Amino acid sequence: MFIIHTVSELRQLLQLARRQNKTIGLVPTMGALHAGHLSLVQACKTQCAFTVATVFVNPTQFNNPDDLHNYPRTLKSDSVLLQNNGANILFAPGEKEIYPEPDTRVFHFGDLENVMEGKFRPGHFNGVAQVVSRLFAITQPDYAFFGEKDFQQLAIIRALVAQLEEKPVIVGCPVVREDDGLAMSSRNALLSKKQREHAPLIAATLMQAKEKAKTLPVAEVKQWAAGAINADSELEVEYIEIADEKTLQPIKQWSDAAHARLFAAVYARPVRLIDNIALN
Ligand code: PAF
C-alpha cells in the first residue's frame, strides 16, 4: 500500500492504475478507523480493482470547534488497518492540499438539508459537499463507498453527484454494530467508560421502537423512543425523527411513506452519536 500526502503523487499513481484499465474505488474517511470503515474497504475491493482510502479530518464540516479539536486522529493505526485490509493507496493530505484556497462554494440540496443533521448542524452538509466534491475531482473514482450510519449524508452525496461533473457510482453500505448493538463510530472512542456502558441503549431503543411501530402511531413511537433514551442518566436526545427513507421528510402517519426510517441523534456529553434503523 502506498501512503501519500500530496495530490500530485496521488494523480500519478491513479494515472498508472487507469492505464492498466483498473476500476478505481474511493473510500473517503476522517480516520480513527473501525470495522465499519473496513466494511467499506471490503465492499470497494469486491467491486473495484484499485482501492483508494482517504483520511482527512475536514475542518469545513465541523460546526463546533471543540468537536473538530477533539476528533480522534490515529493515522498510524489507520494505515496498519488499511494495509491489512488490502487498500492500494492511503491518501492522507494536509489541509492545503485539499483547500489550496478557502472553499467558498455554497451547495443547495433543497429539503434534504433542512431536516435532522442539516437542521441541528448548520453548514455541516455544505462542508461535506465541499470535501467530497474535491475528493471526487482529485481521484475521479468509478465508485465511492459511504456508510448508512450517516444515512442523510449518503442522500446528500447522491444529490451532490447529480449536480457534479464527476459521476462515480455511489454505494451505500449497511451500519456495522458492536456486539452490544452500538453503531460503530469514530466518536465511540471519545466516550467515558460509563458512557460507553450506557450508549448501547440507543440502538436497543431503536430496535424496540421498530417493534412498537407495528402497532403504535408515528408520534407515539417517537415519543416513546425519546422518553426511553432520556430516562438514562448519561444520554440526552437531540432529536428522534421518523422520516421517508427517500425524501428524508418527517412523516405524520405510516401511510405517508412506503419506506420509513427512524433516526436518532443523542448526546453523551460532549460526544454526539447518531444512529438509524429501517422500520418497514
Ligand atoms: O463520513 C465521514 O467520515 C465524512 O463525513 C466524509 C464523508 C469522509 C467527508 O469528510
Side-chain angles (χ1 to χ4, degrees):
M1 183 182 77
F2 295 94
I3 302 177
I4 54 178
H5 303 283
T6 66
V7 170
S8 61
E9 282 171 295
L10 178 63
R11 286 202 165 123
Q12 277 173 22
L13 288 169
L14 288 173
Q15 214 171 17
L16 282 178
R18 254 182 226 108
R19 267 197 218 127
Q20 294 164 0
N21 282 326
K22 290 190 172 160
T23 320
I24 293 169
L26 180 69
V27 181
T29 83
M30 296 206 297
L33 301 183
H34 49 68
H37 294 113
L38 300 177
S39 75
L40 304 182
V41 173
Q42 287 310 324
C44 186
K45 281 172 55 65
T46 58
Q47 294 208 37
C48 304
F50 201 79
T51 296
V52 181
T54 68
V55 171
F56 177 63
V57 182
N58 171 38
T60 71
Q61 72 186 75
F62 284 82
N63 55 324
N64 173 346
D66 288 340
D67 193 20
L68 172 60
H69 178 77
N70 294 333
Y71 202 85
R73 288 159 172 88
T74 57
L75 190 59
K76 226 177 178 161
S77 53
D78 291 346
S79 64
V80 174
L81 286 171
L82 289 170
Q83 164 101 50
N84 291 345
N85 281 271
N88 298 94
I89 294 183
L90 161 56
F91 178 49
E95 201 175 323
K96 278 272 174 248
E97 287 293 313
I98 297 295
Y99 302 118
E101 303 292 335
D103 194 336
T104 54
R105 289 173 301 162
V106 178
F107 293 84
H108 298 286
F109 300 109
D111 288 341
L112 274 186
E113 66 184 338
N114 296 329
V115 293
M116 299 188 287
E117 294 302 282
K119 181 168 153 193
F120 285 92
R121 300 184 66 191
H124 168 64
F125 286 131
N126 203 62
V128 169
Q130 287 175 342
V131 74
V132 170
S133 60
R134 187 82 188 107
L135 291 171
F136 286 172
I138 295 167
T139 318
Q140 299 180 1
D142 300 294
Y143 291 82
F145 297 78
F146 298 88
E148 284 187 348
K149 186 179 78 68
D150 297 290
F151 198 87
Q152 191 175 6
Q153 168 174 280
L154 182 56
I156 292 275
I157 289 168
R158 290 190 199 282
L160 171 71
V161 166
Q163 298 174 18
L164 291 177
E165 280 175 22
E166 310 299 337
K167 295 210 186 300
V169 175
I170 302 300
V171 183
C173 300
V175 181
V176 178
R177 298 183 180 280
E178 302 285 357
D179 288 345
D180 58 14
L182 179 65
M184 289 201 184
S185 163
S186 304
R187 289 191 164 85
N188 294 351
L190 302 173
L191 296 169
S192 70
K193 189 166 175 286
K194 188 167 178 198
Q195 288 173 329
R196 178 64 189 81
E197 281 163 18
H198 287 236
L201 179 73
I202 302 167
T205 302
L206 297 195
M207 285 168 204
Q208 267 182 278
K210 184 177 171 140
E211 285 307 304
K212 296 204 180 278
K214 291 177 183 162
T215 53
L216 294 179
V218 172
E220 282 181 39
V221 174
K222 281 166 51 170
Q223 203 180 8
W224 175 83
I229 294 173
N230 280 333
D232 187 285
S233 57
E234 296 297 312
L235 304 175
E236 184 188 330
V237 168
E238 182 165 60
Y239 65 78
I240 293 280
E241 194 53 272
I242 295 179
D244 181 304
E245 200 168 270
K246 282 248 160 356
T247 65
L248 297 189
Q249 298 312 294
I251 60 168
K252 289 206 160 61
Q253 46 203 11
W254 298 116
S255 57
D256 288 347
H259 297 285
R261 209 166 250 269
L262 173 56
F263 296 85
V266 177
Y267 274 105
R269 290 208 183 263
V271 185
R272 187 174 180 277
L273 302 170
I274 59 172
D275 199 351
N276 68 84
I277 188 172
L279 292 179
N280 56 13

